[in-house]
Amino acid sequence: MPDEHRAPEAPHASETPHASDTLHTSDAANASITPHTPGESRYPDEQREAVYRVIAERRDVRQGFRPDPVPADLLRRVLAAAHQAPSVGFSQPWDFIVITDRARREQIAALARRHRDEFAAGLPGARARAFDRLKIESILDTPVNIVVTCDRTRGGRHTLGRHVQPRTADFSSVLAVANLWLAARAEGLGVGWVSFFDERELAAALRLPEHVEVIAYLCLGYVTGFAPEPELATAGWARRRPVSWAVHAEEFGRRGLPGEEPVDPLADVIAAIAPPDAAAMTAAAERQDRMTKPRGSLGVLEEVSVRLAGLAGACPAPLPEPACVAVFAADHGVHAQGVTPWPQEVTAQMVANFLAGGAVVNAFAAQAGAEVTVVDVGVAAPLEPVPGLLPRKIAPGTADFTQGPAMTREQAMAALTVGLEIARDLVAAGNRCLVTGDMGIANTTASAALICAFTGADPAEATGRGTGVDAATYARKVDVVCRGLALHRPDPADPVGVLAAFGGFEHAALAGFILGAAALRVPVILDGVISGAAALAAAALAPDVTAACFAGHRSVEPGHAIALSRLGLSPLVDLGLRLGEGTGALLALPLVQSAARALRDVATFDSAGVTEKQ
Ligand SMILES: Cc1cc2nc3c(=O)[nH]c(=O)nc-3n(C[C@H](O)[C@H](O)[C@H](O)COP(=O)(O)O)c2cc1C
């Protein structure tokens, strides 16, 4: 907490020579304030509305700048507004460099272009295409550029608050940007923030002194209009998260707005899951019959397109792209029972491999143009933070389910919540198709137990050889599942209890992920037996969840077919895979996308003037 927000402490005389003056001054300042009742200091309605209006209508602008010069007095007003920002210890660490010179702007625009190209080169297929359509800087389209800087040393070592949190200097300069942005909007001036720079490179190009950092590069100019929504939202790149997702009551995770009931994310998600839209499905089926091809000739893909339309509530459904595979990784206490020849460390090692781009999931994702996100939901080993890894560890692995429940109910709920929040975040980030993936040594044993618990299947039929175990290990695996079922006597009507009894954290998180996708009416392509077991838990919580689910493939694990049949889903491919990671689902991704594209793009007999079969 910055010092100025702490309860006042007795100043140390030798360190703060003018402490008594300061106190005296602040007493005097307080004395000059006439006490107000709550609400009395409020602005008149019209002025309050103007404040909220400028906040709501401020836009980051990149298109439609006009070449008209910006009057100097207007620039002075906007800069004065920026200069009134709050700052740590009143250190006012900002400076503003006003750039109008064309040659200088051309040099800076070239820097930004290079980083734009580098960023574009690292994007997966559909994202790269969407990015290509976006404009991300207007350095040359605007008559004025303003660089907001930060001097983290200004004010010396006793700057209040900054000594514990050096970043507060940067935060202060950002607040100056916010003031400038709002004042500019009120003046009818568009502002675009460009951050496609290497900070040191930009600082050198601007010939900044060593101790001065760049905080923001802003492009200012009159505009033809202000968009009602962020351009990135209109372009489908990302969505605004509802404010209720962002506000927590007392503790992180207890989401809810003041004065409203706390949000129960799982209950909310379950309540939002609805059956498919019958009218959209009928329209899609009818359109398939009118498309320039023999009726039914697209086989299963016709049904896929009809289901996509039902899920979206629109015919044709939007294309399920960009897509993102979320690989949920966790360890299992049941590993101690000798159910696999692989050591537990392999989970963490494979996570590192996913993040380095070296696993099969990375190859298939690259081929299909999908993004890979890895979620540590319970890997036994501590993992270093790296880009692409979401750290959401509930615990370092579950307990051995032959000895007691694998996790507590609270842990199962926490993992479910992680999954549904990740689904929401990935959809808010612009993904239109989610793909399930998993990593967890021993997780086929946990999956078999879950499938038996939810379907009543015989452990000997539902248990498979996983990564390829010998006969003795296989027999032990079946016995472990039998012992677990005997110990816990699971009640399939209590899905959270079943997950807690046997599940891995990745199963519970995947169940939440699938529910989260269904609640947002975004298709989710299921991978193999681990996802199948998780989907059974999801369907037990919300039966209509299956409307969003597409079975990517059939794994050779026998439990997977049992799960799919209970879910009423037909696998799209059957290639004898038994790898997990999301690999089978990724192979099905182009099939689901092609089904949607055919429904959207293929001409009908009437529109194309093609004669129908007699
Ligand atoms: C720190 C920061 C850096 C940004 N960098 C860029 C950028 O490099 N290029 C760009 O086009 N927009 C950039 N933006 C603008 C955001 O994309 C934009 O604020 C966001 O989409 C929300 O839209 P709105 O500002 O219109 O509400 C940046 C915004 C912030 C706050």
Side-chain angles (χ1 to χ4, degrees):
M1 190 193 288
D3 266 3
E4 62 267 39
H5 294 157
R6 292 209 174 124
E9 283 169 18
H12 197 289
S14 63
E15 283 172 18
T16 47
H18 303 295
S20 57
D21 289 357
T22 315
L23 279 180
H24 175 76
T25 314
S26 92
D27 281 351
N30 283 337
S32 70
I33 297 173
T34 333
H36 278 183
T37 56
E40 218 183 317
S41 324
R42 192 166 65 182
Y43 289 0
D45 288 352
E46 210 176 296
Q47 291 175 15
R48 278 190 302 126
E49 275 160 27
V51 171
Y52 289 116
R53 182 176 163 206
V54 76
I55 290 168
E57 295 183 3
R58 180 212 49 80
R59 282 279 77 78
D60 181 84
V61 186
R62 302 156 211 151
Q63 327 253 17
F65 279 105
R66 300 165 57 100
D68 312 52
V70 180
D73 60 332
L74 194 163
L75 276 180
R76 286 199 300 272
R77 283 201 295 279
V78 168
L79 287 163
H83 191 61
Q84 284 171 59
S87 60
V88 62
F90 204 27
S91 57
Q92 305 157 71
W94 49 72
D95 285 278
F96 308 100
I97 306 168
V98 181
I99 302 176
T100 54
D101 180 63
R102 172 96 195 172
R104 186 169 286 230
R105 284 187 289 132
E106 271 171 5
Q107 186 200 356
I108 290 163
L111 295 180
R113 250 193 316 276
R114 208 183 70 232
H115 286 287
R116 181 193 210 283
D117 294 347
E118 274 173 27
F119 179 73
L123 288 173
R127 277 277 180 196
R129 284 194 294 280
F131 182 66
D132 206 37
R133 294 190 290 270
L134 294 177
K135 190 163 182 333
I136 51 103
E137 55 90 7
S138 332
I139 299 169
L140 297 174
D141 309 338
T142 48
V144 187
N145 295 177
I146 294 183
V147 187
V148 182
T149 63
C150 179
D151 175 356
R152 295 175 188 156
T153 63
R154 184 168 296 155
R157 65 186 298 193
H158 298 300
T159 297
L160 290 178
R162 198 185 59 200
H163 64 293
V164 259
Q165 288 196 32
R167 292 188 308 158
T168 47
D170 294 15
F171 301 159
S172 306
S173 288
V174 174
L175 288 165
V177 176
N179 273 10
L180 185 153
W181 216 337
L182 292 168
R185 175 62 190 89
E187 298 278 3
L189 204 60
V191 177
W193 182 327
V194 190
S195 49
F196 276 73
F197 294 113
D198 172 296
E199 286 165 46
R200 294 316 313 163
E201 208 175 63
L202 179 60
L206 294 166
R207 290 195 288 280
L208 292 184
E210 270 298 300
H211 64 284
V212 175
E213 310 281 332
V214 176
I215 294 295
Y217 194 98
L218 305 173
C219 305
L220 283 78
Y222 283 116
V223 287
T224 47
F226 287 90
E229 285 294 321
E231 285 182 32
L232 292 185
T234 316
W237 182 267
R239 294 178 183 182
R240 190 181 297 286
R241 302 164 70 222
V243 64
S244 58
W245 295 4
V247 182
H248 306 244
E250 310 293 345
E251 272 174 35
F252 190 91
R254 283 177 50 190
R255 293 178 203 267
L257 290 170
E260 293 184 2
E261 284 298 305
V263 173
D264 176 344
L266 184 60
D268 275 12
V269 156
I270 290 172
I273 295 173
D277 182 310
M281 290 178 87
T282 307
E286 283 172 7
R287 187 174 161 78
Q288 281 287 356
D289 288 348
R290 286 187 287 112
M291 279 156 58
T292 47
K293 59 170 184 62
R295 277 188 181 198
S297 57
L298 286 181
V300 170
L301 296 192
E302 296 198 6
E303 187 199 319
V304 169
S305 77
V306 169
R307 294 189 57 220
L308 286 168
L311 177 66
C315 172
L319 290 189
E321 64 173 31
C324 182
V325 55
V327 185
F328 291 89
D331 277 306
H332 297 259
V334 76
H335 183 272
Q337 296 295 319
V339 289
T340 164
W342 295 85
Q344 198 165 52
E345 304 87 84
V346 172
T347 305
Q349 290 161 357
M350 281 306 292
V351 164
N353 195 16
F354 301 145
L355 293 164
V360 181
V361 65
N362 304 100
F364 286 6
Q367 185 58 37
E371 186 179 327
V372 179
T373 289
V374 185
V375 189
D376 172 9
V377 72
V379 178
L383 301 179
E384 289 298 312
V386 276
L389 173 67
L390 300 181
R392 302 287 189 275
K393 205 191 291 282
I394 309 291
T398 49
D400 179 353
F401 72 65
T402 63
Q403 309 300 305
M407 48 180 138
T408 63
R409 265 189 102 84
E410 291 69 34
Q411 287 177 326
M413 283 299 294
L416 273 159
T417 309
V418 161
L420 60 90
E421 284 178 355
I422 286 173
R424 279 192 324 204
D425 288 349
L426 290 178
V427 172
N431 292 293
R432 295 294 168 268
C433 184
L434 300 183
V435 179
T436 67
D438 70 276
M439 179 66 220
I441 296 299
N443 67 6
T444 58
T445 304
S447 300
L450 287 168
I451 291 166
C452 291
F454 282 118
T455 67
D458 179 345
E461 282 167 21
T463 309
R465 288 175 183 271
T467 50
V469 297
D470 59 19
T473 313
Y474 177 68
R476 197 159 48 239
K477 210 168 155 179
V478 175
D479 176 57
V480 160
V481 175
C482 289
R483 282 195 280 133
L485 290 166
L487 177 67
H488 299 295
R489 302 186 171 281
D491 173 9
D494 173 22
V496 178
V498 176
L499 281 169
F502 305 106
F505 293 122
E506 77 274 45
H507 291 98
L510 278 164
F513 185 70
I514 296 164
L515 290 165
L520 295 166
R521 302 192 84 89
V522 167
V524 55
I525 307 185
L526 305 181
D527 192 37
V529 69
I530 285 82
S531 302
L536 286 172
L541 286 160
D544 285 325
V545 78
T546 51
C549 297
F550 293 81
H553 80 130
R554 189 207 319 267
S555 152
V556 296
E557 279 289 299
H560 191 209
I562 297 172
L564 289 183
S565 129
R566 172 59 66 96
L567 292 163
L569 299 173
S570 315
L572 286 166
V573 298
D574 190 351
L575 301 171
L577 305 186
R578 52 180 174 80
L579 175 60
E581 303 179 3
T583 50
L586 281 168
L587 292 176
L589 173 62
L591 302 182
V592 176
Q593 291 173 331
S594 301
R597 188 175 278 272
L599 185 69
R600 192 193 70 173
D601 290 359
V602 172
T604 53
F605 285 107
D606 30 328
S607 74
V610 175
T611 311
E612 281 196 66
K613 187 178 85 168
Q614 297 299 303

